[in-house]
Amino acid sequence: MTTTTEQDEPINILIVEDNSLNLQVLTDFLGGNNYNFLIAQEGNRAISIARRRKPDLILLDINLPGMNGFEICKILKADTETQDIPIIFISALNQIENKVNGFKVGGTDYIVKPFQKEEVIVRVDSQIKLHQLNKQLRRNYLDLAVTNEELSVKSNELHHLNTNLEALVEERTEELSGALRSLQASQSLIEQKNKELQQTIDQLLRTRAGKKATTIVLVVSFSIFLVEEILENIFQNFAQSNFYLLLSFKFLLLLLLKPIELVLESTMIKRSHNNITNKIAYEGGSQHTNR
Ligand code: MN
């Protein structure tokens, strides 16, 4: 806190005094202190100067023509423009009631006539210093209030941003939870479908397709067996009792028919297997599109 600028500016002191001699004494005592004197000899003029010039201090006589000092003080203290100006009453009435009344109406100090130079200087100086400190304090307070207001605005902005952020996070969390639930549902469905598919495959292998493959192999084997028997009988008749011829024929038959039998069987098994695979692929595909 600094009062440098205040000390550089001239300090205005309004002296309200109807007695020219007293006025002269006061300005003499206080002269040479960088004080600028404003003079009023009655109430209306004093109030007008106070409102216009806003002096740093008012020295106010009590006994005046027209309004007295107490009435002037009341008016100045009721006006927001002048209420902060310190007022020192000056009077020859050295009575306790006047002093008390002076403080009651808002005066800050009291000087009794006849004036003592040192007392006047000290009382005026201390009131002016107090007033300047008060002004500085008020300015600092206003600065603080402005800073506080700015901080409050920033704080509100922050709070607003924070609220938005929280809402956004909540929204995202909700979206993620939804996605997770959806994923879990899909997974359950896939597991269920897999189980169903596995059952279908088992059923197919165990029943229809399996039976079909077995049947085909049996039929082919039996057919080949029949062909073998028939051909064997024919050649047995033809070869009569020639053992070697019969043996050669049997060997030839085995050599010719066995591969055919094997190829047939293998083809049938392969076809059945393809049927099963197709069936599974179809079932799997339909499961997939159902999702
Ligand atoms: Mn007077």
Side-chain angles (χ1 to χ4, degrees):
M1 180 163 59
T2 172
T3 55
T4 317
T5 48
E6 311 300 324
Q7 280 157 0
D8 292 339
E9 291 169 8
I11 291 155
N12 289 315
I13 298 178
L14 171 59
I15 303 174
V16 189
E17 172 63 85
D18 58 327
N19 183 300
S20 302
L21 186 64
N22 283 337
L23 202 59
Q24 190 59 53
V25 171
L26 283 174
T27 49
D28 281 352
F29 283 177
L30 295 168
N33 283 300
N34 195 27
Y35 295 149
N36 179 45
F37 300 109
L38 308 164
I39 311 296
Q41 292 185 308
E42 51 82 33
N44 287 323
R45 176 116 181 97
I47 291 165
S48 157
I49 291 172
R51 283 176 177 159
R52 200 153 27 85
R53 302 290 298 272
K54 300 196 177 54
D56 297 281
L57 177 69
I58 299 173
L59 293 175
L60 184 54
D61 189 21
I62 292 171
N63 285 326
L64 290 166
M67 258 185 281
N68 69 33
F70 298 132
E71 289 169 314
I72 296 167
C73 185
K74 277 184 191 171
I75 290 168
L76 292 174
K77 290 297 166 185
D79 186 340
T80 51
E81 291 289 302
T82 54
Q83 66 185 6
D84 293 326
I85 303 168
I87 293 173
I88 299 177
F89 282 111
I90 45 176
S91 178
L93 303 172
N94 189 13
Q95 292 172 353
I96 189 72
E97 306 90 73
N98 274 338
K99 286 186 180 178
V100 170
N101 205 15
F103 286 114
K104 266 187 188 168
V105 295
T108 46
D109 206 354
Y110 200 98
I111 298 174
V112 176
K113 297 173 199 173
F115 303 125
Q116 304 297 310
K117 186 176 180 179
E118 297 305 320
E119 186 193 0
V120 170
I121 289 171
V122 166
R123 289 192 188 275
V124 166
D125 191 50
S126 64
Q127 284 308 317
I128 282 174
K129 279 184 176 144
L130 264 177
H131 182 56
Q132 286 177 340
L133 283 174
N134 262 334
K135 282 207 288 192
Q136 189 62 42
L137 269 177
R138 194 167 294 117
R139 262 197 295 274
N140 289 349
Y141 174 78
L142 288 175
D143 286 350
L144 274 177
V146 168
T147 308
N148 200 34
E149 179 62 29
E150 286 170 0
L151 275 174
S152 177
V153 168
K154 291 284 174 218
S155 169
N156 280 340
E157 283 174 6
L158 263 177
H159 179 73
H160 194 66
L161 283 174
N162 201 32
T163 309
N164 282 350
L165 191 64
E166 275 170 16
L168 204 64
V169 167
E170 207 168 297
E171 201 178 301
R172 288 282 178 275
T173 307
E174 189 51 45
E175 279 175 19
L176 282 174
S177 299
L180 186 62
R181 279 197 297 275
S182 172
L183 265 176
Q184 283 168 343
S186 301
Q187 196 179 352
S188 299
L189 192 68
I190 288 167
E191 278 168 11
Q192 174 65 24
K193 290 294 174 191
N194 261 344
K195 217 174 279 177
E196 284 173 17
L197 187 62
Q198 193 55 52
Q199 281 170 358
T200 312
I201 291 165
D202 290 347
Q203 213 174 350
L204 269 170
L205 288 175
R206 217 180 300 123
T207 59
R208 266 170 47 204
K211 275 180 187 167
K212 196 177 170 186
T214 313
T215 311
I216 289 165
V217 170
L218 280 175
V219 167
V220 167
S221 301
F222 188 67
S223 306
I224 288 172
F225 171 75
L226 279 180
V227 169
E228 273 177 10
E229 284 304 305
I230 291 162
L231 286 176
E232 198 178 328
N233 276 328
I234 291 167
F235 275 91
Q236 217 161 13
N237 289 335
F238 172 73
Q240 298 290 331
S241 56
N242 191 329
F243 176 75
Y244 293 106
L245 193 61
L246 191 64
L247 201 68
S248 309
F249 168 72
K250 277 211 150 202
F251 183 72
L252 193 70
L253 202 66
L254 204 69
L255 213 64
L256 271 171
L257 286 178
K258 223 39 186 176
I260 294 168
E261 187 184 336
L262 284 173
V263 166
L264 264 173
E265 281 183 13
S266 116
T267 307
M268 287 305 165
I269 287 166
K270 216 176 271 177
R271 193 172 291 171
S272 316
H273 179 260
N274 282 343
N275 282 344
I276 292 165
T277 311
N278 288 341
K279 183 79 176 169
I280 290 164
Y282 171 74
E283 289 281 336
S286 71
Q287 305 270 11
H288 199 76
T289 45
N290 278 347
R291 268 185 65 229

